[in-house]
Amino acid sequence: MASTHNNFDFFAASEKAIGDTELRRKLANASGHHLDAAARTRAEFPRYDEEREAARRIKAEAIGRLDELLLQLKQRLETNGCQVFFAADAAAARNYIVGIAKRNGLKRAVKGKSMTTEEIELNPALERAGVEVFETDLGEYIVQLRHERPSHILTPAIHLSKEDVGTLFHERFGMTYTNEPERLTAVARDNLRSIFMTADLGITGVNFAIAETGTLVLVENEGNGRFSSTLPDTFIAVMGIEKVIPRLADLSHFLEILARAGTGQKITTYTNFITCPRGHSELDGPREIHVVILDNGRSAMLADPVMREALYCLRCGACLNACPVYRRIGGHAYGYPYQGPIGSILSPNLFGSGAGFLPFASTLCGACREICPVKIDIPKMLLHMRAKENRNHLKWPRGASRARRAVARFARLAKRPRTVRTLSRIAAWMIRPVVRDGYVRWMPPPFSAWTRTRDFPAPKSAPRRKPKSGGV
Amino acid sequence: MGAFVRVLASVKTALEGGAHREPNAHPGARVMPSAPVVAPAANRAALVSSFARELEAVGGHFTGSATPEGLSAQIIEISDRVGALTVAIGGDGSFDSEPVAGALEQSGRDVIRCGVTADEAARRALIERIARADLAIVEAQCAIASTGTLVVTATPARPSALTLIPQALLAIVRADRIRADAAEAIVALGAETIANHRVAFITGPSRTADIEKLIVVGVHGPKQLHALVLWPADD
């Protein structure tokens, strides 16, 4: 898979991000906000765990019957008047979509937030074909204006402060600087209104595709997804093969948990059901609907019994908010459109071995598994992928092999308690001049690598290695 | 066609090579039961009050209830409050929208009626006119009490644009069509309706929290959402 995502230096990017205290403040603020709101909404909803179980059961069924459900979905969509295209990889999906734009002579595309279109790198392909592409989700609009990528699957501009957005709008639109979200949002609304009214192509993702009725379900808060799927004459929905659910009656279980897990709302502002193109006597709705159903590595995940469960993911974003690693390094450090714990699983599978380091970007604390509305066992998969990566072609970063040798040497030393005790005593005595309030604040190189960013607790006294008599 | 066969073949191979195949119908599988559209009368007051509370909680305005006779007067009052000079009104509901449209015109307002357009130019022109409306009025198919959600289906006389483009939206819902939760609303709506119409669940005014998690209302869709409950004559 030729992709600009590859050859990304996760270690350099995460190290840089950790040093950015302002970024950490913004991430802690935003993800904390989501987590608190989500915990409150869930506490008020006694049926939450029941709905979670039901949703998980339905996903297991859907993934287990994926072949028949995809066939049924295709047939129903076609009966409803939609055109269906199956894309084996990102390039096939891009080419198909660019082909529609060329054939229909389309010039202006409005997009709802869609990580799948980020995955296939659709925007640059459309732009090369002469189509203007406008991201219309406010967060996506902001990151597009900054020529950045989203840093969170749910809140793309989570890494920016209101001051950053104020400065951006001031520079790009010449408006008087303000950091008031209301005024900034009003400017975006006005700018995008005229674009919505003149766009000839709408593109969005899909949250659920109901096989039974051939219905695409799109959830959102702003209304930009509704605009994109209502006003332009041509509408293209892009979905992974895993988005299909069997029956209409299954949907409510997902609606009850999705927003509660992600943003802490009971339900999102809009849930859009899109089934058929505009009828003869109708005023609006697209004349043409294309549904692009993307494999791009997903069937390979399906073939691996451990990885299969990752296809249950609803993209709610909860595991990002809960992840101690994500909350410190932010989304950009991951280098791929899917970030955080679930991103560390999806990216290596969808983008290839360039992302092979990502499963190591986790403390395996299990917060992601706890919070996941469909209970995906993310830590188990991360371990599975680590093992696979180690067996295959893992290139450790510079210094890592030295660290491994050092650990091996320590292991040998630790088997000789008397030597350890003696060395500890010597170390404690040597350190004494630099101890302040129980902490070592400075050490000479190479130990300075630690004390530059953290204090080291000073040994209280000579460490004891032998248990006390009668002790445990 | 080639691509479809290829993708489906890889899915099939992946499933067959996998540890186990899920049974075709799991124990939780449900066939859509056909439920009556009308909610039992005993629950009605409780459902209306829950709907009102939840609607207000997401930034909507509950504007009380009306009888069929009092509907026009109440809609004019709401239009006054919103300061709406141009009102777009949708049809295809359970009540005749024409008397309401007439009353709005008599009150000195410009009224946009929705319906079939003659050609593409007229179609575009009507969308442009709706875009300039201060207020849109539609009847919701049903509502969800547990979340304060309005369920609106699109028809020729009730296009999607109505609930999306104007500055403010007033949705009218019959008291006997307020359902307890999303599952019940989907059953009440039925597969037939969903297969033939675009449907929107609308919960509060359009909103965003994309700038530092601060909630701003009215980013793309309506900035205000009002809901009025209509008590049918036989109640």
Side-chain angles (χ1 to χ4, degrees), chain A residues 38-56:
Chain A
R40 269 199 307 276
T41 337
R42 285 197 302 268
E44 289 165 6
F45 186 59
R47 246 172 47 222
Y48 184 71
D49 272 328
E50 223 176 281
E51 296 288 2
R52 240 175 129 184
E53 286 298 338
R56 185 181 161 83

Side-chain angles (χ1 to χ4, degrees), chain A residues 61 65 86 136-137 139 155 161-162 189 193 221-222 226 247 249 266 269 271 273 275 278 283-284, chain B residues 3-4 24 26 30 54 123 161 163 165 194 198-199 201 203 206-208 210 212-213 218-221:
Chain A
E61 184 206 346
R65 295 171 53 200
F86 279 80
T136 61
D137 170 87
T155 37
S161 65
K162 49 189 195 291
R189 177 186 172 103
R193 253 314 157 90
N221 279 318
E222 297 184 0
R226 284 198 76 196
R247 293 158 298 265
K266 290 179 183 165
T269 305
T271 304
F273 296 70
T275 309
R278 178 164 87 224
L283 181 74
D284 51 23
Chain B
F4 166 62
N24 271 8
H26 66 96
R30 291 182 306 179
E54 295 299 330
R123 191 185 76 84
T163 55
I165 316 186
I194 287 173
R198 262 165 301 119
V199 178
F201 282 16
T203 311
S206 150
R207 69 181 215 161
T208 185
D210 272 351
E212 283 203 26
K213 297 293 98 204
V219 54
H220 292 300

Side-chain angles (χ1 to χ4, degrees), chain A residues 41-148:
Chain A
T41 337
R42 285 197 302 268
E44 289 165 6
F45 186 59
R47 246 172 47 222
Y48 184 71
D49 272 328
E50 223 176 281
E51 296 288 2
R52 240 175 129 184
E53 286 298 338
R56 185 181 161 83
R57 221 169 36 231
I58 296 162
K59 271 289 175 185
E61 184 206 346
I63 297 301
R65 295 171 53 200
L66 199 52
D67 50 351
E68 24 165 334
L69 290 177
L70 285 173
L71 184 62
Q72 189 188 5
L73 178 69
K74 175 187 191 293
Q75 285 164 347
R76 292 309 310 231
L77 283 167
E78 284 170 351
T79 311
N80 297 339
C82 303
Q83 298 175 52
V84 182
F85 178 75
F86 279 80
D89 55 28
R94 278 196 305 264
N95 293 343
Y96 178 76
I97 295 167
V98 168
I100 296 167
K102 282 185 176 158
R103 196 174 64 234
N104 291 4
L106 307 177
K107 290 277 162 253
R108 176 170 271 198
V110 282
K111 285 184 67 202
K113 188 172 58 178
S114 153
M115 290 307 123
T116 316
T117 61
E118 295 281 342
E119 175 187 330
I120 63 172
E121 299 183 87
L122 181 60
N123 293 8
L126 280 171
E127 278 158 5
R128 275 194 303 275
V131 182
E132 281 183 293
V133 183
F134 293 90
E135 293 291 347
T136 61
D137 170 87
L138 179 61
E140 285 263 6
Y141 179 63
I142 291 166
V143 297
Q144 189 188 32
L145 287 171
R146 285 173 59 101
H147 306 287
E148 283 180 326

Side-chain angles (χ1 to χ4, degrees), chain A residues 264-327:
Chain A
Q265 295 168 279
K266 290 179 183 165
I267 189 170
T268 55
T269 305
Y270 298 109
T271 304
N272 306 297
F273 296 70
I274 304 158
T275 309
C276 43
R278 178 164 87 224
H280 287 305
S281 46
E282 278 193 290
L283 181 74
D284 51 23
R287 223 167 41 193
E288 254 179 54
I289 297 180
H290 297 264
V291 185
V292 178
I293 303 177
L294 179 71
D295 182 344
N296 201 34
R298 288 166 176 79
S299 59
M301 294 176 75
L302 187 67
D304 182 335
V306 180
M307 302 310 300
R308 179 176 290 192
E309 212 180 294
L311 297 174
Y312 299 0
C313 174
L314 308 179
R315 310 282 191 268
C316 70
C319 63
L320 279 65
N321 301 332
C323 177
V325 176
Y326 177 88
R327 292 173 66 159

Side-chain angles (χ1 to χ4, degrees), chain A residues 334-356:
Chain A
Y334 288 84
Y336 292 84
Y338 303 106
Q339 314 90 8
I342 193 67
S344 296
I345 290 170
L346 294 174
S347 300
N349 281 290
L350 306 182
F351 302 103
S353 58

